[in-house]
Amino acid sequence: MPSSHWWRTAAIYEIYVRSFADGNGDGEGDLIGLRERLPYLRELGVDAIWLTPFYRSPMVDGGYDVADYRDVDPLFGTLADFDAMLAAAHALDIRVIVDIVPNHTSSQHAWFAEALAAGPGSLARDRYIFRPSSSPGEPPNDWESIFGGRAWTRTPDGEWYLHLFDPGQPDLNWDNADVRAEFESVLRFWLDRGVDGFRVDVAHGMVKAAGLPSVGHPQQIGLLGREPLPYFDQDGVHEIYRAWRKILDSYPGDRMAVAEAWASTPLRLARYVAPDELHQAFNFDFLAAPWSAAELRSTIDACVEAADSVGAPTTWVLSNHDKARHVTRFGSPEIARAAALLMLALPGAAYLYQGEELGLPEVLDLPDDARQDPVWHRSGGTDPGRDGCRVPLPWTAGEPAYGFSTTGRSWLPQPDWSSFAASAQQDVPSSFHSLYREALRLRRTFTGPLTWQESPADVLDFMRGGVRCVVNLSGAAVPLPLGSVVLASGDLPDGTLPPDTAVWLH
């Protein structure tokens, strides 16, 4: 398997393991089911897969509450199942990236049980962030949980512990040497098994401002990625990643790490991908950009410039397991198809989320009693949470659970997805699946930087090597530039490019 900076241009497919494929019939996606579906991913044309957490966990937050970082949760299988899946992926020239969750553990982690039992001032508590009340009965500061409510929970002995997410996810204290040593050991454990890289969850977390100062502002999640926060994107995180990079570089095969990092500016985000830190950072500015030529061009330019300033590749993403699917966000399958061709024509790496190659929409009508996301529960049912983009995939029309499970069981209910099933789309030239498969095949031939071309208002037009990408975001058809059509997101009548349509030209 060639290893010359593969991650700089890779198409990486995110697998939400619980919802991808069920191999044992219990209605829960697992590593056996994933292994069985690897040929589908090879045929689709992805270079790597990223797996959401499959470690031992009480599943308070979809596995992002890890109780044991060195074992597989029985829900997903065993370490032997993981090893077999990894070997099968590598045999198909598919690299495997796994999630690592360093900002917090599960409250059922052995360390946290030890901390609660040991009491205030103990060495065990120093691995987490415990503090006394700021005043009688009040938490240490005004920090809020990303999932809603305050970020502190009081223990029976009167101290409070910090959890920037769910109370079942206590934050670790990265000033503690045990914590740093433990995660370096965890990295080596999975690298020794042969994984090709890590997606670093909440990579902007871990280090908190000295003294834990209050924010002085309610609705703090609204400041994420826009304003400085004392619990995110602190300068001290970069020391951690410099140590991790040395570990990654000590292994053969060009191992990598990608940051899930929110920062207040593209330049601050670029610090995570300095030459001696992580290899990539997710580009959430692109995901959040509206369907507007001016907004998208501004975002693309800012992100390419910031990444170029440190010699890193840009990454592009339209959907993931935390955001509503982009078919629904954009409100149109036609826009979603055009957006896919835009993203896959840009220089750098592209991250796809399972099911986007099928054009899956967000499931908006899940029954309340089926929802499991802590966002739903902590908001008192006012925020639907993220379950709508995590509904198990439809593989085969006409089969129980659309082939997700042989028994018809599915941990979240599926809507009528007969027309979306992979079996109904493969080898249908006009389908989402065919568009993605052909785009991923052609994308491998694209080289060089992006060069903008003169274009009408509300049209994006750029060259990459010998390929031209034109996207019409206006409300009217525009003339199609000269060139032979390589791929289009929709029909091209009478030599024009209709609204909300993208085309690749030679």
Side-chain angles (χ1 to χ4, degrees), residues 81-104:
D81 293 330
F82 177 84
D83 292 339
M85 180 279 302
L86 183 64
H90 284 169
L92 292 170
D93 288 336
I94 298 173
R95 289 180 166 83
V96 178
I97 298 167
V98 299
D99 240 304
I100 189 168
V101 188
N103 180 73
H104 47 262

Side-chain angles (χ1 to χ4, degrees), residues 189-486:
F189 177 86
W190 293 104
L191 290 167
D192 289 342
R193 297 194 95 82
V195 303
D196 298 285
F198 299 93
R199 179 264 192 183
V200 185
D201 184 61
V202 196
H204 53 286
M206 295 127 92
V207 175
K208 279 67 175 176
L212 310 186
S214 286
V215 175
H217 191 292
Q219 301 299 313
Q220 293 163 21
I221 192 172
L223 304 178
L224 181 61
R226 295 178 180 152
E227 300 289 339
L229 287 166
Y231 44 81
F232 283 152
D233 192 30
Q234 298 297 303
D235 290 343
V237 297
H238 299 288
E239 176 190 346
I240 297 166
Y241 298 135
R242 283 190 286 271
W244 286 16
R245 180 60 178 262
K246 291 176 182 176
I247 294 172
L248 290 162
D249 287 349
S250 73
Y251 282 79
D254 203 16
R255 316 295 177 98
M256 58 81 76
V258 56
E260 182 215 20
W262 292 85
S264 53
T265 68
L267 287 176
R268 282 199 70 83
L269 184 63
R271 299 182 66 196
Y272 290 83
V273 289
D276 61 345
E277 293 193 34
L278 304 179
H279 300 75
Q280 295 178 338
F282 286 138
N283 185 348
F284 293 122
D285 289 344
F286 183 75
L287 182 150
W291 189 243
S292 151
E295 293 269 6
L296 283 166
R297 178 164 176 169
S298 173
T299 298
I300 290 166
D301 283 343
C303 295
V304 169
E305 180 182 357
D308 283 351
S309 70
V310 291
T314 324
T315 66
W316 311 103
V317 60
L318 287 169
S319 284
N320 62 33
H321 68 279
D322 284 332
K323 298 294 178 183
R325 288 187 176 275
H326 63 270
V327 167
T328 301
R329 291 203 323 272
F330 288 137
S332 156
E334 291 74 26
I335 293 178
R337 290 169 64 94
L341 285 199
L342 168 62
M343 178 180 77
L344 293 173
L346 293 169
Y351 281 80
L352 312 177
Y353 178 49
Q354 65 178 43
E356 75 172 79
E357 81 281 6
L358 303 176
L360 294 186
E362 186 82 356
V363 180
L364 301 174
D365 58 353
L366 285 170
D368 290 355
D369 60 0
R371 295 185 184 274
Q372 300 192 25
D373 190 350
V375 172
W376 162 259
H377 297 292
R378 285 179 64 81
S379 70
T382 60
D383 186 328
R386 301 159 295 173
D387 291 321
C389 66
R390 301 175 177 183
V391 174
L393 293 191
W395 289 99
T396 309
E399 288 192 2
Y402 301 105
F404 167 73
S405 169
T406 55
T407 61
R409 299 169 69 184
S410 172
W411 72 277
L412 283 174
Q414 299 161 299
D416 181 0
W417 269 353
S418 298
S419 63
F420 289 99
S423 68
Q425 296 198 41
Q426 287 176 298
D427 302 320
V428 177
S430 61
S431 71
F432 260 90
H433 182 274
S434 293
L435 180 74
Y436 269 77
R437 184 181 59 193
E438 186 65 4
L440 289 168
R441 183 185 70 82
L442 292 166
R443 181 180 179 273
R444 296 174 185 273
T445 67
F446 293 5
T447 58
L450 175 155
T451 306
W452 292 107
Q453 308 296 298
E454 290 293 328
S455 61
D458 298 319
V459 173
L460 296 175
D461 186 345
F462 61 87
M463 295 286 295
R464 282 200 60 216
V467 179
R468 186 172 186 174
C469 177
V470 188
V471 190
N472 183 4
L473 295 92
S474 72
V478 298
L480 197 62
L482 292 175
S484 59
V485 173
V486 178

Side-chain angles (χ1 to χ4, degrees), residues 84-171:
M85 180 279 302
L86 183 64
H90 284 169
L92 292 170
D93 288 336
I94 298 173
R95 289 180 166 83
V96 178
I97 298 167
V98 299
D99 240 304
I100 189 168
V101 188
N103 180 73
H104 47 262
T105 71
S106 165
S107 58
Q108 293 187 24
H109 192 284
W111 274 8
F112 195 70
E114 185 183 349
L116 290 178
S122 62
L123 294 176
R125 282 207 176 179
D126 189 59
R127 294 172 178 150
Y128 294 89
I129 300 176
F130 282 84
R131 293 292 186 273
S133 297
S134 57
S135 58
E138 292 299 315
N141 61 30
D142 68 355
W143 293 2
E144 295 174 356
S145 164
I146 300 300
F147 291 163
R150 62 190 179 193
W152 296 92
T153 288
R154 199 172 188 182
T155 61
D157 55 39
E159 279 204 321
W160 301 76
Y161 70 88
L162 178 68
H163 52 85
L164 290 175
F165 295 87
D166 189 84
Q169 297 166 289
D171 279 53

